[in-house]
Amino acid sequence: MSRSIALLICLVGGLTMLVSPFLPMATGWANDVTDWFNILAAMAFVLGGGSLLKVQLMRLSARGPGWGYSAVTLLAFAVTLWVGLGKVGVVADPSAPMVPWSGKPDDEGSAFWWIYLYVMTPITSTLFAVLAFYVASAAFRAFRAKNLEATLLLATAFVILLGRTFAGVVLTGWLPDWASGLRLENLAVTIMDVFNTAGNRAIIIGIALGVASTGIRLLLGLDRSYLGGDA
Amino acid sequence: MSDAITDQTAPAQGRWWIGLFLVIAVLVAIRAGMGEGVGRVYVQTETTRYASTTNEQGRVAWSAAADGTAGAVTIERDLFRTAGQFRAAESAAPGQQAIRVSWDRTIGLWLAAFFTLAVFSFLAGDNPAYKFTESIVIGVSAGYWMVVAFWETLVPKLLANLAPDMVKAWCMPNLEGGAFNPIALIPLGLGIMLLSQLTPLGRHVGRWPLAFVIGTFAGLKMVSHVESDIIEQVRATMLPMVAFGDDGSFAAWASIRNVLIIVGVLCTLAYFVFSVEHKGAVGRAARVGVWFLMITFGSAFGFTVMGRIALLAARFEFLFIDWLWLIDPKGERGMTVVATLVSCIVDMT
């Protein structure tokens, strides 16, 4: 019974979104359903936070190796929640200065803004920056021009990298005007405009077809994996 | 207590890392003693007064008001100022307090520098500083997104429908409407069922909201993908194979470009057709499609590397410009480190 109702809810939710572009009267329904979806997505963040709390508390109570890091995570989580939900340091919005809670939690000067600017942003951007080393290291070890396909990939990467930097302009700047198309910066533009456009377009069409077919399978109840094995 | 930080990190490694961070701390201390010092953040308090007016519809609107306006409300905000602005203010009025060092932001800057170095330290291997930073970012990220979800979605879309008067008085004075909307009880119920996943019984109860999310998302994505990714992309590929310029003359390069795009899209799509064996004409088309795919992946790789290197450069800029004040591209500080070093050497000799 629970499973049948879940399948029905899935079908109704999906069909509402599908028919809304074709039926003007369904636009309002689609807006409502989109709002509900957003509310549930927001609830999912709360669920994620709750799950993190549960796991870290279990690790902390077990006192296994590295339990101190769990304590740090919990502390960081609690402080962020406290300053964010409590709007610590937020000044009132100019449109309603009499309402102290009217300001946004991430307004400049608030504690939540401070955490975002001085804790979250530096760590996440450095984590992504560090990937430059790993990408370069992996490329050095894995890239071998063994066949035509690998050579094409390697050569394109080099042309794009050089063509978008000053080094590329200097390296092929001596080419005469009639051969300017072979200058690295122009070659990079051609690759992006023609070959990359064609390849990406086919990939996008392929993904869209995959999304559509998977969506139909989900709505028709042919794919029920999300309900769990014992559903 | 050692269990609290030891995980896979050996004690000897731990000592090595502590030594390295101490060396960095000593170098920073030396740098701090030179010239204008290092990373400080300056702020200036901006004071604005707001007075209310009531329009013909009886709505109250607040706007900036002049000093001395009766009933005006004052709001103070600390805004960033550069070291150059601080120096200019100091030279105009020594000891002024209008532009001053913000200690909370300065501590934040140093903390950000520590986190940046801690993450970079992972390049040499796992270590307590990295693990500490990793633990912080996990907790902060989870909290951050929960807070954003609460204020951006749950309050305006859920609470505002369930208790509009309370929300209006509490945090959204400009909220339109103001009647209880019973329909909002549906997402509230589904949300509570979703949260029950945290309890042992929740696995079965949580199916319905999950089904709703998956069904809605599937419907939403089907419409948007079919519209923008199939119809629009196919339309964009319908190009003239013989192109002419504005003056009516044959445009050779535009024609070649269009042919290459059409052939590339068709051949790459042929490669993705797995229900037909890749033999004969289909096999040859698929082979050409693979070439196009390789060029696409190569350019994607190139852009990824460039993006990461740009981020890396931004982190170095943060360390050398904002924190250590080693370089001064905007000319915000009085003396560069090179000039300071020269003056120190001159003083010593």
Side-chain angles (χ1 to χ4, degrees):
Chain A
M1 183 64 179
S2 163
R3 184 189 177 116
S4 303
I5 293 173
L7 291 174
L8 189 68
I9 290 172
C10 180
L11 181 67
V12 171
L15 280 183
T16 309
M17 300 310 294
L18 275 180
V19 300
S20 64
F22 307 103
L23 291 176
M25 57 188 273
T27 311
W29 305 343
N31 290 339
D32 280 343
V33 169
T34 308
D35 277 351
W36 298 357
F37 172 80
N38 288 331
I39 290 168
L40 285 178
M43 288 281 197
F45 282 118
V46 181
L47 180 70
S51 180
L52 176 91
L53 199 66
K54 194 174 160 183
V55 170
Q56 299 298 329
L57 279 174
M58 278 163 61
R59 280 188 61 188
L60 197 62
S61 63
R63 292 287 173 105
W67 62 267
Y69 298 117
S70 293
V72 171
T73 300
L74 284 173
L75 187 69
F77 179 63
V79 169
T80 311
L81 269 189
W82 174 58
V83 302
L85 295 180
K87 290 194 176 179
V88 175
V90 173
V91 292
D93 192 80
S95 66
M98 293 296 279
V99 183
W101 284 69
S102 59
K104 289 183 178 172
D106 55 351
D107 275 349
E108 184 180 335
S110 72
F112 191 64
W113 165 86
W114 188 94
I115 287 181
Y116 179 75
L117 187 69
Y118 294 120
V119 180
M120 201 162 148
T121 304
I123 300 177
T124 49
S125 54
T126 314
L127 282 169
F128 278 108
V130 162
L131 288 181
F133 293 100
Y134 291 106
V135 169
S137 158
F140 179 73
R141 279 181 282 181
F143 276 11
R144 296 286 180 271
K146 287 180 289 194
N147 51 37
L148 178 62
E149 286 81 8
T151 311
L152 277 174
L153 194 148
L154 200 59
T156 310
F158 269 110
V159 170
I160 294 292
L161 277 170
L162 287 172
R164 299 267 165 164
T165 54
F166 184 65
V169 179
V170 172
L171 276 172
T172 50
W174 53 270
L175 283 169
D177 281 347
W178 59 267
S180 63
L182 293 174
R183 285 178 189 157
L184 280 170
E185 67 270 26
N186 296 333
L187 218 50
V189 172
T190 305
I191 287 172
M192 293 309 294
D193 279 356
V194 181
F195 298 96
N196 185 61
T197 301
N200 261 334
R201 200 166 275 172
I203 291 171
I204 290 169
I205 293 171
I207 290 172
L209 288 170
V211 168
S213 64
T214 308
I216 290 170
R217 282 177 60 80
L218 282 165
L219 296 189
L220 294 179
L222 297 171
D223 187 343
R224 304 174 183 194
S225 52
Y226 64 93
L227 293 174
D230 58 340
Chain B
M1 188 61 195
S2 62
D3 269 0
I5 58 163
T6 52
D7 196 349
Q8 286 91 27
T9 315
Q13 267 189 326
R15 282 195 292 275
W16 190 89
W17 281 112
I18 290 167
L20 180 70
F21 272 88
L22 280 175
V23 169
I24 293 172
V26 169
L27 288 174
V28 172
I30 292 169
R31 169 69 194 93
M34 291 163 58
E36 287 181 283
V38 282
R40 282 190 299 272
V41 181
Y42 298 99
V43 291
Q44 183 174 19
T45 304
E46 186 195 69
T47 307
T48 316
R49 287 171 185 81
Y50 295 94
S52 64
T53 50
T54 308
N55 63 13
E56 289 167 0
Q57 287 82 38
R59 289 197 62 168
V60 177
W62 291 83
S63 55
D67 288 354
T69 308
V73 178
T74 304
I75 291 182
E76 291 187 341
R77 290 173 196 275
D78 282 348
L79 301 176
F80 279 114
R81 291 291 177 262
T82 62
Q85 286 171 319
F86 171 75
R87 211 156 23 82
E90 273 294 304
S91 59
Q96 54 81 39
Q97 283 299 307
I99 299 179
R100 61 190 190 283
V101 173
S102 165
W103 289 109
D104 59 328
R105 295 184 194 196
T106 302
I107 291 168
L109 181 82
W110 281 72
L111 208 57
F114 167 76
F115 288 140
T116 303
L117 290 176
V119 174
F120 277 138
S121 72
F122 187 73
L123 288 169
D126 207 357
N127 63 80
Y130 174 76
K131 289 180 94 68
F132 173 77
T133 307
E134 189 186 36
S135 309
I136 293 261
V137 80
I138 291 168
V140 167
S141 300
Y144 177 84
W145 290 113
M146 264 181 79
V147 170
V148 169
F150 181 78
W151 288 115
E152 301 280 324
T153 309
L154 293 181
V155 171
K157 290 189 191 300
L158 185 66
L159 288 180
N161 282 315
L162 294 172
D165 293 335
M166 186 200 80
V167 169
K168 214 175 209 174
W170 171 41
C171 60
M172 292 180 71
N174 302 321
L175 179 71
E176 296 291 333
F180 167 69
N181 182 6
I183 297 289
L185 289 171
I186 298 173
L188 176 69
L190 288 171
I192 291 168
M193 288 165 83
L194 189 69
L195 290 181
S196 68
Q197 296 249 4
L198 290 169
T199 67
L201 287 172
R203 204 167 160 211
H204 295 284
V205 182
R207 265 182 206 148
W208 294 2
L210 200 61
F212 178 80
V213 168
I214 286 172
T216 315
F217 194 68
L220 191 72
K221 287 292 157 189
M222 274 169 73
V223 173
S224 63
H225 276 275
V226 168
E227 196 176 351
S228 63
D229 292 352
I230 299 181
I231 296 172
E232 287 304 319
Q233 294 295 335
V234 170
R235 185 177 289 157
T237 313
M238 290 180 178
L239 299 162
M241 294 173 81
V242 180
F244 295 95
D246 292 336
D247 57 352
S249 60
F250 174 63
W253 169 238
S255 303
I256 294 168
R257 177 186 173 277
N258 291 354
V259 169
L260 278 171
I261 288 177
I262 294 166
V263 169
V265 172
L266 292 176
C267 289
T268 311
L269 282 174
Y271 171 74
F272 286 126
V273 178
F274 299 114
S275 52
V276 179
E277 204 173 350
H278 289 184
K279 276 184 176 174
V282 178
R284 283 192 288 277
R287 181 93 203 276
V288 175
V290 171
W291 298 342
F292 273 86
L293 278 176
M294 288 300 129
I295 294 173
T296 307
F297 294 150
S299 55
F301 174 80
F303 270 103
T304 307
V305 172
M306 283 175 67
R308 300 289 183 242
I309 288 174
L311 268 176
L312 190 67
R315 293 324 296 159
F316 284 134
E317 277 178 8
F318 165 74
L319 289 175
F320 295 139
I321 299 173
D322 297 334
W323 180 46
L324 290 176
W325 291 5
L326 278 173
I327 43 179
D328 186 21
K330 290 180 188 167
E332 289 174 349
R333 285 175 279 280
M335 293 175 84
T336 62
V337 162
V338 178
T340 311
L341 274 173
V342 170
S343 67
C344 281
I345 292 165
V346 169
D347 287 347
M348 283 165 69
T349 52

